[in-house]
């Protein structure tokens, strides 16, 4: 398997469907690496510890975390299954960004940003990252989230191991759309992830 194939496979089993290969994640999303490798092999997905280490080290989004003792691995965020990452609430920067498809704007400004199939809403610290995320769903646009205002109003934020900011939802009152970001997307849509 290539690095990309292993990364996609790990995203699937560590975020959404561990039961597909017969592994069990603990309450914090960790699985023993030896168990993951053995069950992956049994499911026809052959890769070794060196490949796993390469995937973790080279992931542009730092999707995975290996435990300090080197025996466990988990997805840094993005779970659709219930896990408790053990993150401590943290004061966010003044603004954060959310990339989405232009076709979703009416719905978002009606109901806000909701986790949908994930546990929490994912927010980026910069516009280029948000544009890449939005590009996965159609013509990308970037929403600005008034994160410090949300924090002051009592909303909690967490920062995942890979730097992605998480919150439970974002009300429309804390969202704005700057068309200059839309213009940037049209000039340079970025790679599809």
């Amino acid at each position: 398997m290539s690095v990309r194939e292993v990364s996609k496979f790990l995203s699937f089993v560590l975020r959404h469907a561990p039961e597909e290969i017969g592994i069990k994640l603990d309450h914090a999303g960790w699985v023993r690496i030896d168990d993951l490798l053995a069950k992956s092999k049994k499911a026809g997905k052959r890769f070794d510890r060196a490949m796993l280490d390469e995937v973790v080290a080279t992931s542009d989004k730092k999707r995975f975390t290996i435990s300090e003792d080197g025996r466990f691995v988990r997805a840094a965020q993005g779970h659709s299954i219930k896990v408790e990452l053990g993150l401590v609430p943290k004061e966010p920067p003044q603004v954060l960004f959310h990339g989405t498809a232009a076709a979703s704007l009416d719905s978002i400004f009606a109901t806000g940003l909701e986790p949908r199939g994930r546990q929490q809403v994912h927010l980026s610290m910069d516009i280029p990252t948000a544009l890449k995320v939005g590009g996965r769903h159609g013509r990308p646009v970037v929403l600005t989230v008034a994160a410090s205002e949300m924090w002051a109003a009592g909303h909690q934020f967490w920062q995942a191991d890979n730097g992605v900011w998480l919150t439970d939802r974002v009300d429309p009152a804390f969202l704005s759309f700057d068309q200059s970001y839309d213009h940037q997307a049209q000039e340079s849509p970025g790679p599809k992830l």
Side-chain angles (χ1 to χ4, degrees):
M1 294 180 70
S2 71
V3 169
R4 181 179 170 93
E5 290 169 329
V6 172
S7 181
K8 287 180 80 168
F9 171 72
L10 291 176
S11 289
F12 176 66
V13 298
L14 296 180
R15 293 164 119 187
H16 310 296
E19 71 281 356
E20 287 292 316
I21 63 167
I23 59 172
K24 292 187 189 235
L25 307 181
D26 73 8
H27 70 283
W30 295 104
V31 64
R32 290 180 76 74
I33 291 173
D34 292 343
D35 191 32
L36 172 68
L37 294 173
K39 297 286 177 84
S40 296
K41 181 179 178 182
K42 189 173 179 181
K45 305 293 185 179
R46 294 178 170 267
F47 59 96
D48 60 14
R49 175 61 190 255
M51 174 63 84
L52 175 68
D53 289 341
E54 183 177 353
V55 168
V56 171
T58 61
S59 171
D60 60 337
K61 289 184 164 186
K62 304 295 180 207
R63 286 184 170 99
F64 313 104
T65 304
I66 292 181
S67 63
E68 287 185 25
D69 66 6
R71 296 178 12 209
F72 297 87
V73 65
R74 74 176 179 184
Q77 44 70 231
H79 299 84
S80 61
I81 56 175
K82 182 73 174 153
V83 297
E84 179 52 57
L85 295 174
L87 304 174
V88 177
K90 182 177 177 180
E91 184 172 356
Q94 184 174 352
V95 296
L96 290 167
F97 303 97
H98 182 79
T100 191
S104 300
L105 288 177
D106 288 342
S107 172
I108 289 170
F109 278 104
T111 62
L113 292 173
E114 299 170 330
R116 306 282 174 174
R118 306 257 172 118
Q119 282 191 229
Q120 293 171 308
V121 173
H122 298 180
L123 303 171
S124 305
M125 290 188 58
D126 59 75
I127 294 164
T129 300
L131 283 170
K132 288 178 186 176
V133 171
R136 295 187 309 208
H137 308 289
R139 185 171 62 87
V141 294
V142 176
L143 299 172
T144 301
V145 177
S148 61
E149 289 179 31
M150 284 182 64
W151 179 262
H155 297 271
Q156 291 191 325
F157 287 82
W158 300 268
Q159 192 171 26
D161 296 344
N162 62 356
V164 171
W165 284 87
L166 308 169
T167 193
D168 292 332
R169 71 178 314 275
V170 180
D171 294 327
F174 297 108
L175 293 170
S176 61
F177 172 62
D178 183 334
Q179 290 192 357
S180 67
Y181 302 149
D182 183 41
H183 178 71
Q184 290 175 9
Q186 291 176 26
E187 289 179 359
S188 176
K192 303 278 188 211
L193 301 177

